[in-house]
Amino acid sequence: MESKTLIPKPTMVMMAALQVALYTAVQSHLSQAILQDTSSIVFPLSGSIHTHWAYLTTINIGKPHKPFKVHVDTASELTWPKEHLYKPKTDSIVKCEDPLCVAIQGKERNCENPDDRCEYVIPFSDGSKTHGYLVRDIFPIRLTTGSIIDSPLVFGCGYKQIGTFRGVGMLGLSRGPVGFLSQMHSQGLIKQVMGHCLSSQEGGFLFLGDDLVPRTGVSWTPITNNYHEDRDYLSGPVDLLFDGKATQVRGLKVDFDSGSALSWLNQSAYQHTLDLINQALKKTKLKPAEPEGELSVCWSHKKKPIISLDKMNNKYFKKLTLSFQNIPNVKLELPPQAYLILIKVGVIFLGKVCLGIDDGDKLGLENPNLIGAISMQDKLVMYDNDNHRIGWASRDCNIPPML
C-alpha cells in the first residue's frame, strides 16, 4: 500500500494494530456463534481469457440496487466500483477511525483526523492504480436457499484509476478482513470458503460458502503464508514437470491469482520453460511468429493457419505439471489449453498461438510466480480458509452448479 500523506508515530501504529486485532477477534467470535445454518452464494461469470482478458461478475449495491459488472480477483482485498457510476450518500462514508479503514491502509496510515473519510491508494502489479475512499452500503444477495438478504458491507468508491481495468471495478476476494468473503463470513452468513470455475470457452461461475465443495476427487494443498503477513493465496513449494519429466524448475512458491489473465514465473524458471517448449517444437511444422500486444512469444504453422487449441495437444505442445513437494501425488496439470492463447480479432482467427506464461520478474513482486486465470480454466478451484488450503478438480464450467 502506498502512503499519501502522514506516517504515524509508533504508538499510533500499535493502537491501529490492536484495533484491527480486536475487531477481527470480535467478528470471528460472532460469526462462530451465528454459523449454525449457513448457506452459499453463486455468481454467474462472463468473459474469458480469449475475449476479455478477465472473468467478470455482476454485484448489486444499494437499495434500490444498481448492478455493477466487476473483475473477479482473488489477489485483491478491496471491492470497488468507479465513483462516477456509484454516488454514495454522505452518511455512508467510512471514517478513518473505523477498524476496516485501519485494515485497508495498514501501517501507512494517511489520516490526519479520526473523522476524516478513509482514503486509499492501491497499486497493482501491472503498474495500474486505483484511488478512492471507503463507504458502507447494502448489498442485496440471493442465497442458494432462495432467501434474499440485505448485507451491509464496506467497499471502495474509486474516483481515480490509472492504467487499464476490466469491467467497472473489482470484486476483492483475498483473505484480508475487508475482503468480500471475509465480511460475509464475519456476519455469520457463509463459511469462509469460496471457489470459481472459469470456462475456457466463456463464463463459468463463482461461489461463496462450502455447499459446492465436492466431498471427493479434489486435490488439496496447504495455504503456506501467514494470514496476518500476506493475504494472498500462496502455496508450494512446487516442481515443474515437462511432458511428465522433471526439469530444473524446482521449489517455487506460487500465488493463485484469478485477477491475472496470464501465469508468471521468475525469470530463470520462465526462460528454462520457454527453452523446453521451443526445443520440443524444433521438429514440428510450427515456427516463431510476431508478438501480439502484451504476448511476446507466439507461433504459427508453416503451411496453414491455427484455428483451434485442441489440435495443439501432444503433437506440438506438451503438458506442464506443477508437482507439490510436500503432498504426495498432488499435481496441478496444465495441458496446452492452460498456457496457450489462440489469437483472434472478434470472430476472425489470426492463425497463431501465443504463450500465456511470461517473465514474472517484470512485475516487480516479492513473489513473481503466479498461477493466473489461464491456468485455472476448466477446473473447479477452491479456497478453504477454514481449513487453510487450496483445492482443485477438473470440471466442465459451462454446466451450471447443482446443489
Side-chain angles (χ1 to χ4, degrees):
M1 184 68 60
E2 295 187 10
S3 175
K4 290 183 64 181
T5 51
L6 300 180
I7 301 296
K9 298 178 181 179
T11 53
M12 293 174 63
V13 174
M14 293 175 62
M15 289 298 293
L18 288 171
Q19 191 177 15
V20 174
L22 178 61
Y23 175 85
T24 303
V26 170
Q27 291 299 316
S28 176
H29 176 76
L30 289 174
S31 65
Q32 291 302 318
I34 300 172
L35 273 169
Q36 302 297 326
D37 185 23
T38 58
S39 186
S40 294
I41 309 161
V42 176
F43 297 90
L45 299 179
S46 61
S48 75
I49 298 302
H50 305 280
T51 57
H52 297 80
W53 280 69
Y55 286 88
L56 309 170
T57 194
T58 298
I59 56 174
N60 295 315
I61 304 177
K63 199 168 185 180
H65 71 263
K66 182 177 181 180
F68 298 88
K69 183 169 283 191
V70 291
H71 187 175
V72 174
D73 189 358
T74 58
S76 289
E77 182 175 3
L78 187 64
T79 295
W80 57 270
K82 296 177 181 178
E83 184 187 41
H84 73 278
L85 299 174
Y86 172 79
K87 299 297 184 182
K89 298 176 182 178
T90 302
D91 60 0
S92 71
I93 295 175
V94 173
K95 296 181 180 181
C96 282
E97 62 184 0
D98 192 291
L100 292 184
C101 178
V102 178
I104 204 65
Q105 290 184 348
K107 294 179 180 179
E108 297 183 350
R109 299 279 281 150
N110 59 11
C111 296
E112 295 185 0
N113 300 299
D115 287 336
D116 289 347
R117 75 179 187 181
C118 181
E119 298 265 345
Y120 61 81
V121 180
I122 298 177
F124 295 88
S125 58
D126 62 356
S128 58
K129 291 182 181 180
T130 177
H131 300 241
Y133 53 94
L134 294 188
V135 294
R136 182 180 277 105
D137 204 344
I138 294 296
F139 282 65
I141 295 173
R142 180 182 295 275
L143 301 176
T144 51
T145 57
S147 60
I148 298 177
I149 58 171
D150 290 336
S151 183
L153 301 177
V154 169
F155 58 101
C157 190
Y159 60 75
K160 180 182 178 182
Q161 278 63 240
I162 300 172
T164 301
F165 289 92
R166 317 292 175 181
V168 301
M170 197 80 70
L171 179 60
L173 296 170
S174 74
R175 298 187 295 148
V178 190
F180 195 87
L181 174 67
S182 298
Q183 291 192 65
M184 295 292 293
H185 172 72
S186 72
Q187 296 177 29
L189 300 171
I190 57 175
K191 297 288 181 66
Q192 205 163 7
V193 179
M194 68 177 184
H196 53 66
C197 204
L198 311 178
S199 172
S200 59
Q201 299 175 34
E202 181 82 15
F205 60 89
L206 164 74
F207 68 86
L208 308 183
D210 65 345
D211 290 336
L212 296 180
V213 176
R215 296 183 179 276
T216 60
V218 179
S219 297
W220 292 102
T221 181
I223 296 173
T224 55
N225 50 336
N226 187 297
Y227 174 85
H228 298 290
E229 296 174 356
D230 192 335
R231 293 161 182 178
D232 292 341
Y233 295 98
L234 184 72
S235 192
V238 300
D239 300 337
L240 180 70
L241 310 181
F242 182 79
D243 196 21
K245 301 179 181 64
T247 71
Q248 298 175 15
V249 180
R250 300 179 58 83
L252 302 180
K253 293 292 184 72
V254 292
D255 269 316
F256 285 72
D257 181 358
S258 70
S260 174
L262 306 182
S263 288
W264 303 79
L265 296 173
N266 68 67
Q267 199 279 329
S268 176
Y270 165 75
Q271 189 59 55
H272 185 63
T273 303
L274 180 57
D275 290 345
L276 290 170
I277 294 173
N278 280 326
Q279 184 65 32
L281 293 176
K282 275 189 174 181
K283 297 181 180 180
T284 72
K285 294 181 180 179
L286 294 191
K287 61 179 182 179
E290 288 294 317
E292 191 67 33
E294 301 174 38
L295 304 172
S296 57
V297 179
C298 301
W299 300 272
S300 61
H301 197 278
K302 293 178 181 178
K303 294 185 178 180
K304 54 187 178 181
I306 301 171
I307 59 173
S308 172
L309 286 179
D310 293 336
K311 296 181 180 180
M312 296 292 101
N313 280 338
N314 299 323
K315 187 177 180 180
Y316 300 110
F317 293 94
K318 307 301 181 181
K319 178 177 65 176
L320 301 178
T321 304
L322 295 179
S323 178
F324 288 76
Q325 291 181 0
N326 297 336
I327 312 295
N329 302 317
V330 171
K331 295 178 173 62
L332 179 60
E333 306 283 1
L334 304 180
Q337 293 91 335
Y339 66 86
L340 293 176
I341 295 177
L342 184 63
I343 303 301
K344 61 180 181 178
V345 177
V347 296
I348 301 175
F349 292 96
L350 299 187
K352 61 182 177 182
V353 294
C354 296
L355 185 62
I357 302 173
D358 207 342
D359 177 359
D361 284 350
K362 295 189 299 187
L363 299 176
L365 299 175
E366 182 178 346
N367 177 49
N369 305 301
L370 304 181
I371 303 302
I374 187 173
S375 300
M376 295 190 278
Q377 294 175 116
D378 301 324
K379 294 179 179 67
L380 186 64
V381 180
M382 291 148 286
Y383 309 80
D384 182 352
N385 293 293
D386 286 341
N387 295 297
H388 215 63
R389 60 184 183 169
I390 302 168
W392 55 86
S394 295
R395 193 187 192 284
D396 183 348
C397 298
N398 295 109
I399 299 176
M402 299 293 291
L403 291 171

